[in-house]
């Protein structure tokens, strides 16, 4: 009987993975065949070629872009390594490997959501819904297919594991989970350092709020443990990636020596909330990116938040808090410029427009939660 149960679960997993792949392929097949899009993709291919040919020969400088740029000390090194690795593993050319990486990024994030939600919520149905909802939004594809930017989608691979592992460590306090959290957090830096900045803030707020509202133990003791857990993850993760992080900051200091150290508020990129919700323009100008987050995802996510309030599911409400905050956050330089100038300008720099990656992975989970809980109410009242 036990073997039969495991066999049936394995069959369901196989069906789920096939459905996820087919959904991603349905929306993203053109990435494998259509002409390259975006003004940054050519630079990504060039840098990946340079990394593949010269990195292990000690060459760390690309001389043919403006006055030259570092190959290893950039904000998005990880994706160059990923393309080079896939090229060497499969024998594909660098452009072909870039195409495959572009497609696989969305597929891998969907798989990641599937397994993490299954692990966290103990529901294979909710996990499948979350994974299927992710590629439905234009937000999952726009950086890759329209702008030719791979680093930001690549960084999405590390956001949700870091949050979920950190949350699990705060609850269970297991050393293995802590080690995995540190490695996942360190990966954020290689993927995109500005996303790593956001994750630092998310983990701090998560530690404080989970201690105050989710813990059933002594609040003060839990708060101290959570805060020092955040410190340890930050320090050890930074030390783990220090072979890259410290040279990066040195490089930035050298190349920025005669430049204005911080942008003015008028130079900071932002994305307005109406655009994220699908009925406005980005950056206050003309845009053919008509819909960002898919309407069904937004509706079901709102349903999920309402049902989480009704059911008093505090962990889902905490996820909801971050989804809402980071839907508003990218537009702060637009509707609260003075506030940003005073409190956040020197802290986060250009990370505003990139903050949408947080609701990008959380909204599908909230939507799946809404559908799943609504289904339980209807059929199992």
């Amino acid at each position: 009987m036990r073997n039969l149960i495991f066999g049936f679960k394995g069959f369901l997993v196989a069906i789920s993975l096939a459905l996820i792949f087919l959904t991603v392929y349905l929306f993203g097949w053109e990435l494998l065949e259509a002409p390259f899009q975006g003004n940054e993709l050519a630079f990504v291919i060039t840098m990946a070629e340079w990394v593949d040919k010269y990195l292990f020969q000690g060459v760390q400088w690309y001389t043919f872009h403006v006055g030259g740029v570092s190959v290893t000390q950039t904000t998005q090194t990880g994706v160059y390594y990923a393309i080079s690795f896939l090229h060497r593993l499969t024998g594909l050319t660098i452009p072909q490997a870039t195409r495959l990486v572009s497609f696989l990024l969305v597929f891998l994030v969907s798989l990641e959501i599937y397994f993490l939600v299954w692990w966290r919520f103990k529901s294979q149905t909710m996990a499948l819904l979350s994974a299927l909802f992710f590629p439905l939004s234009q937000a999952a594809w726009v950086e890759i297919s329209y702008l030719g930017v791979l680093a930001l989608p690549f960084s999405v691979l590390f956001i949700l594991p870091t949050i979920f592992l950190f949350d699990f460590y705060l609850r269970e306090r297991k050393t293995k989970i802590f080690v995995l959290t540190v490695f996942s957090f360190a990966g954020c830096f290689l993927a995109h350092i500005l996303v790593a900045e956001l994750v630092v803030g998310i983990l701090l707020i998560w530690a404080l709020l989970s201690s105050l509202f989710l813990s059933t133990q002594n609040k003060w003791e839990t708060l101290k443990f959570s805060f020092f857990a955040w410190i340890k993850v930050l320090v050890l993760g930074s030390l783990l990636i220090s072979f890259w992080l410290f040279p990066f900051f040195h490089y930035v200091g050298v190349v920025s020596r005669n430049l204005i150290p911080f942008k003015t508020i008028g130079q900071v990129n932002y994305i307005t909330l109406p655009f994220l919700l699908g009925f406005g323009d980005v950056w206050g100008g003309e845009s053919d990116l008509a819909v960002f987050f898919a309407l069904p995802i937004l509706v079901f996510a709102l349903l999920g938040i309402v049902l989480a309030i009704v059911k008093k599911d505090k962990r889902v409400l905490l996820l909801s808090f971050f989804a809402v905050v980071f839907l508003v956050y990218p537009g702060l330089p637009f509707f609260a410029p003075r506030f940003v100038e005073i409190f956040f300008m020197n802290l986060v720099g250009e990370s505003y427009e990139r903050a949408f990656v947080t609701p990008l992975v959380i909204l599908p989970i909230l939507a799946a939660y809404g559908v799943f809980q609504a289904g339980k109410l209807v059929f199992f009242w």
Side-chain angles (χ1 to χ4, degrees):
M1 179 61 71
R2 187 175 181 181
N3 290 337
L4 183 63
I5 292 173
F6 277 108
F8 182 67
K9 284 189 175 181
F11 174 74
L12 289 179
V13 171
I15 294 295
S16 298
L17 298 187
L19 286 173
I20 294 169
F21 178 82
L22 288 173
T23 303
V24 174
Y25 185 77
L26 177 66
F27 286 92
W29 64 269
E30 287 187 333
L31 292 175
L32 299 173
E33 299 182 15
F36 287 120
Q37 299 290 324
N39 59 354
E40 290 201 27
L41 199 55
F43 182 71
V44 170
I45 293 173
T46 301
M47 293 295 280
E49 288 269 13
W50 200 263
V51 165
D52 185 71
K53 288 181 180 179
Y54 301 115
L55 179 61
F56 298 106
Q57 300 178 27
V59 178
Q60 299 184 15
W61 192 258
Y62 178 67
T63 57
F64 303 112
H65 181 68
V66 292
V69 293
S70 172
V71 175
T72 53
Q73 273 75 62
T74 70
T75 58
Q76 48 190 359
T77 306
V79 73
Y80 306 147
Y81 295 145
I83 294 171
S84 175
F85 174 77
L86 188 61
H87 156 70
R88 290 171 178 259
L89 180 67
T90 62
L92 296 171
T93 65
I94 292 293
Q96 289 171 334
T98 304
R99 284 187 182 278
L100 190 54
V101 166
S102 301
F103 174 81
L104 288 177
L105 283 176
V106 178
F107 176 62
L108 290 176
V109 173
S110 298
L111 281 187
E112 181 181 83
I113 291 174
Y114 174 76
F115 286 110
L116 286 172
V117 171
W118 188 10
W119 169 59
R120 170 61 186 85
F121 292 91
K122 312 302 181 188
S123 170
Q124 201 169 353
T125 302
M126 184 176 164
L128 178 59
L129 287 172
S130 301
L132 294 177
F133 282 155
F134 175 74
L136 296 186
S137 290
Q138 188 186 26
W141 301 96
V142 64
E143 294 276 339
I144 302 171
S145 61
Y146 182 81
L147 302 175
V149 177
L150 300 187
L152 200 59
F154 184 70
S155 67
V156 175
L157 284 168
F158 298 92
I159 294 175
L160 199 61
T162 305
I163 295 173
F164 275 25
L165 287 168
F166 185 66
D167 174 63
F168 191 74
Y169 172 68
L170 295 182
R171 289 186 288 123
E172 302 295 332
R173 305 188 180 187
K174 294 182 178 180
T175 303
K176 290 181 180 179
I177 299 299
F178 176 76
V179 172
L180 290 174
T181 306
V182 170
F183 273 89
S184 182
F185 174 67
C188 293
F189 284 98
L190 272 183
H192 203 302
I193 193 168
L194 295 179
V195 172
E197 282 184 5
L198 289 171
V199 172
V200 169
I202 289 170
L203 295 187
L204 175 59
I205 299 171
W206 191 285
L208 298 177
L209 293 182
S210 64
S211 301
L212 294 174
F213 299 107
L214 304 184
S215 176
T216 57
Q217 303 174 7
N218 181 279
K219 301 290 185 184
W220 175 243
E221 292 299 324
T222 305
L223 186 61
K224 286 196 297 183
F225 174 83
S226 300
F227 179 73
F228 282 110
W230 174 75
I231 293 290
K232 288 189 293 183
V233 169
L234 178 60
V235 172
L236 293 178
S238 300
L239 289 176
L240 184 63
I241 205 69
S242 60
F243 70 92
W244 173 85
L245 189 61
F246 296 156
F248 171 79
F249 283 124
H250 174 71
Y251 165 72
V252 170
V254 171
V255 299
S256 303
R257 187 168 295 162
N258 295 319
L259 299 176
I260 299 173
F262 301 106
K263 288 187 173 184
T264 65
I265 190 64
Q267 295 173 307
V268 174
N269 291 331
Y270 61 85
I271 303 177
T272 60
L273 181 60
F275 173 75
L276 290 176
L277 298 181
F279 53 87
D281 291 329
V282 64
W283 301 308
E286 294 296 324
S287 172
D288 57 356
L289 303 179
V291 178
F292 212 68
F293 287 110
L295 182 60
I297 308 302
L298 295 172
V299 172
F300 290 142
L302 181 59
L303 176 64
I305 294 173
V306 171
L307 290 177
I309 294 172
V310 172
K311 297 177 69 65
K312 298 179 181 179
D313 192 327
K314 293 182 179 180
R315 293 197 181 276
V316 174
L317 289 175
L318 188 55
L319 278 175
S320 305
F321 168 80
F322 282 99
V324 173
V325 166
F326 284 103
L327 277 172
V328 176
Y329 181 80
L332 276 179
F334 173 70
F335 61 79
R338 186 57 181 161
F339 179 78
V340 171
E341 248 181 340
I342 295 173
F343 294 102
F344 294 112
M345 190 63 202
N346 294 346
L347 177 64
V348 298
E350 289 189 277
S351 63
Y352 289 95
E353 61 174 324
R354 296 170 175 87
F356 78 87
V357 296
T358 307
L360 177 61
V361 291
I362 293 178
L363 284 176
I365 299 173
L366 296 178
Y369 180 85
V371 173
F372 182 67
Q373 293 298 334
K376 288 174 64 177
L377 287 174
V378 171
F379 297 106
F380 305 103
W381 183 263

